[in-house]
Amino acid sequence: LGFIATLSYRSNYDHFVDGIERRFKNTDSTATTLNNELNLRSNESSRNVLLGGLVKLSFKPRTNHKFGLNYMLNRSGESRANDLFGSIPEQNIDNYETRVLAYTERSLDVVQLQGEHAFGSKNAEGAIEKPVLKANWIASYSESRQDEPDLRFFSNEFNIFEREPQPDTIYTLDLSVYAEPSRFFRELAEDNLDIKLNFEVPLNLSERPGSFKFGGAYTQKERDFIERRFTLDTDLRRAPYEGDPAAWFTDENIGIAEIDTLSNGAIIPRFNGIYQERTVQSNSYVGEQEIVAAYGMFELPLTEKLKFIGGARLEITDASVVSGNPNDPEGILDLQDVLPSANFIYEVLDNMNLRAGYSRTLARPNFREFSSLRTFPFERGNETVGNPNLERTLIDNFDVRWEWYPQPREIISVSVFYKDFENPIEKVIIPAQQNLAFRFGNVPTGRALGAEFEVRKSLSFLGDFFSNFEIGGNLSILDSEVDINEEELELIRTVDPTRPSTRPIFGQSPYVVNGELLYNDPVKGSQVSISYNIFGERIVLVGGQSAPDVYEQPRGLLNVSIAQRFGPFQVRLSGRNLLNPDFEKIQTHEFLNRDANGNRTGGTSEREYVFQRFTRGSTYSLSVAYNFN
């Protein structure tokens, strides 16, 4: 009988200033520029607190049977304040302000019970000498909760007039352009049950042992999401806004205002400002998902050097999302999928393998994605809308891999892979929407072809001085594309005639590079790690008729960690994101070249527009650990 228990607490702050939030729209096939609809500067601060704990009990009553009980908890809270200011050119507003004040609390409790068993003939000590059946199982139950007790939005505009002896600022709340001050209350509760059972039967068909594995799984998930919205309706004539939101929300401006309206001095109570419920029924939903699965697979040596591992998995999915608005369509997934897999491993040398494989996998939309929920990050920010008509994605995977293990902890490998997607899910721009908005949608097909090179190697071959040095890294190169729906493409080309019929897959970079230089001297207790990561530009928002695709730009992340042991103490100094690059998203508008009369002159040109930009800054930490051993 043994146990492990841990408890952790973390509190960190995040902040950026002078970020950029812009929105552009393409409305004319002859235009050489995009219309700027929103041009804001952004400041944001947040604090995240995390409390975590884990208790793990293990019990081994007999040599061939083992049980475990795990309990894990997480409690987290995030406070966030966001202030944006700038202009709304499409509304001729030069000075616009909008603010977000939010607190989100999350909790997760997980209980797991698991076991491992072996059956067969035993030796004198009671251990299984020739197993005829192995089994393992796990049953887990989790409760997840999320509470946003008071998410607040406040927007206004102002104009500055040059007057003597000092300028005069006039503030305005124009509810025809943006929403009145709003407060959201959101609660999410999700319960999960997950049961897995696996069996393994050893096969001794020849001198080279194999096995047959089979098992099943059952998962059940239930989610209940509720959102309520309240807005403050007030008479701006009696309670004009003068630039201070806190002062505007005083008791004098909310509730009953006593106003002397009669000549005899009688006081007639009137409502000055009251909160009205503006809850949108579509923004609440109930989701249920049940998955029953079973699989069978063989691991068989075909020859002395060739091994086959393969089988199939059956998954039956029954999922639904019911909106709080009875007029909304219900999101439904009623599926039966067979997912085959086949892998061949050829042992070229004792430390070198050649692998070839095929598998079919799937990706289901989550509750949020195929509900009718609408959310937005700030007033006049882009809405994100669910889609009850989403379908799951099927992926056929093909890969070939060569791997060599020169020494323990070392690897050099090269692999080539191809993926074929059916109904991939993407986040796309909704056409013909007054304000820029996005929804989740399926595109018919997609393809990805790539290669990966991986290395982890000691530098001891360079001499004794480098005996404690090690390099590692990988390079992935990927070419991906999806076909744009014909109806969507026809609409897009009414304003952007140069748009091709395909685009890269949502979220896929053309390359990813990871590298690390490691120094480890166990005698002196010294460790140094320098790591670097960069990725190629990737689509994070799929455009449509109204706007080009939004691409997240490459940024290099450099992290350094230095640790030194002093007796039972270890001191570690770490620095993350040391280069502090811009987090940037851009749109590129390609247009046909024309002369002053609007006639085509041949060729195309393009302009880049910054959709969003900010920096996160670098993080430094110093830690001290004490080893009781």
Side-chain angles (χ1 to χ4, degrees), residues 220-337:
Q220 184 184 53
K221 181 185 296 185
E222 297 180 353
R223 176 184 291 185
D224 192 354
F225 179 80
I226 299 174
E227 177 187 275
R228 299 182 68 185
R229 178 184 181 184
F230 298 86
T231 62
L232 184 63
D233 294 347
T234 188
D235 188 341
L236 296 175
R237 294 170 299 177
R238 290 198 295 269
Y241 175 64
E242 297 178 344
D244 184 356
W248 195 64
F249 285 105
T250 58
D251 293 342
E252 290 77 14
N253 291 338
I254 299 177
I256 295 177
E258 293 185 337
I259 302 173
D260 184 357
T261 60
L262 300 178
S263 57
N264 61 5
I267 301 297
I268 298 180
R270 296 174 184 256
F271 284 107
N272 188 27
I274 57 174
Y275 278 103
Q276 300 278 2
E277 182 156 7
R278 297 285 189 265
T279 295
V280 178
Q281 289 181 311
S282 298
N283 283 0
S284 297
Y285 65 86
V286 175
E288 296 181 350
Q289 178 176 281
E290 185 178 64
I291 301 173
V292 179
Y295 78 94
M297 62 177 288
F298 287 93
E299 182 174 339
L300 298 175
L302 302 180
T303 67
E304 184 178 351
K305 291 183 173 293
L306 182 62
K307 180 189 295 185
F308 168 79
I309 302 174
R313 176 180 176 92
L314 170 67
E315 293 195 3
I316 302 173
T317 304
D318 182 12
S320 66
V321 174
V322 179
S323 170
N325 185 346
N327 297 319
D328 288 338
E330 181 179 353
I332 296 176
L333 292 177
D334 186 6
L335 307 168
Q336 294 184 12
D337 293 296

Side-chain angles (χ1 to χ4, degrees), residues 336-457:
Q336 294 184 12
D337 293 296
V338 177
L339 308 173
S341 173
N343 295 272
F344 293 89
I345 304 173
Y346 182 75
E347 185 181 304
V348 182
L349 299 172
D350 290 342
N351 61 351
M352 184 184 298
N353 294 324
L354 184 63
R355 300 174 180 263
Y358 162 78
S359 65
R360 168 168 280 199
T361 55
L362 60 80
R364 304 179 188 86
N366 59 38
F367 289 134
R368 165 68 186 86
E369 292 172 342
F370 78 122
S371 70
S372 299
L373 178 66
R374 289 175 173 261
T375 59
F376 54 93
F378 56 87
E379 183 55 45
R380 293 198 66 82
N382 46 278
E383 279 189 321
T384 299
V385 184
N387 180 3
N389 297 316
L390 278 182
E391 300 180 36
R392 60 92 172 86
T393 303
L394 284 177
I395 310 157
D396 289 304
N397 308 277
F398 304 84
D399 66 274
V400 177
R401 175 182 170 96
W402 171 83
E403 54 192 20
W404 178 35
Y405 303 91
Q407 300 290 337
R409 287 180 46 84
E410 294 185 350
I411 182 175
I412 299 174
S413 72
V414 179
S415 59
V416 179
F417 58 88
Y418 174 78
K419 297 177 182 292
D420 189 76
F421 297 85
E422 179 183 328
N423 297 321
I425 298 172
E426 299 194 329
K427 195 174 182 181
V428 300
I429 292 177
I430 301 176
Q433 179 96 355
Q434 181 179 3
N435 296 325
L436 194 61
F438 309 98
R439 66 171 173 83
F440 299 98
N442 293 106
V443 293
T445 60
R447 296 158 296 281
L449 175 65
E452 183 176 14
F453 173 75
E454 181 182 4
V455 62
R456 178 163 293 278
K457 187 78 174 69

Side-chain angles (χ1 to χ4, degrees), residues 23-27 33-37 90 432-436 545-548 587:
R23 301 294 180 266
F24 298 92
K25 182 175 285 189
N26 191 6
T27 58
T33 60
L34 299 178
N35 289 346
N36 184 201
E37 298 192 329
E90 66 166 342
Q433 179 96 355
Q434 181 179 3
N435 296 325
L436 194 61
Q545 180 185 16
S546 59
Q587 291 171 286

